[in-house]
Amino acid sequence: MDRFQHKLLFRRSLFAITCAAVTLLTSCEKLPLWRTYSSAGLEAFANGEVAKAEYFLTAAVKDAERHGPEDFRVAITLNILAGYYRTLERYKEAEPLYERALSVAESRWAPNHPRVAHVLENYSLLLSQTGRVNEAALLAGRAAAIRRSQSN
């Protein structure tokens, strides 16, 4: 396995673990469709089925959006889909999704909510990966401040 494949496998694994944890921690309904699609997409991605993963993750966003554009499910599924694109280094597709996920998260929850911090952390990774370290540091700093305020 060459360095690029190893790096991609590591990113896929880290992404899948993070998203699975978010999905499991966000319970509101019994087996909702958006969650089923998200899980199927993450599983497909973990198995290297990139096109299938994109299909299911996009379907998860569409299903979440039927609950309204500012629904918490939209923020969660956009964050997952953006992470998928970021992991594949499809940064131009990921960034607007992170921006929208952050906007929805901030309108759904308070700006200092842990779920807002989660989106900020992921968006910060994208900015860092694209060489925008100052912007990344600002978002990471804001996320860290949210995390600190929650631990008190």
Side-chain angles (χ1 to χ4, degrees), residues 60-76:
V61 172
K62 288 179 183 173
D63 184 69
E65 287 174 331
R66 68 184 183 86
H67 298 280
E70 300 296 312
D71 188 83
F72 76 95
R73 291 165 272 233
V74 174
I76 292 167

Side-chain angles (χ1 to χ4, degrees), residues 78-97:
L78 286 171
N79 189 46
I80 293 170
L81 181 58
Y84 162 82
Y85 287 135
R86 181 180 51 79
T87 302
L88 293 177
E89 299 179 356
R90 292 167 60 181
Y91 304 127
K92 288 183 181 182
E93 293 167 271
E95 187 164 7
L97 298 177

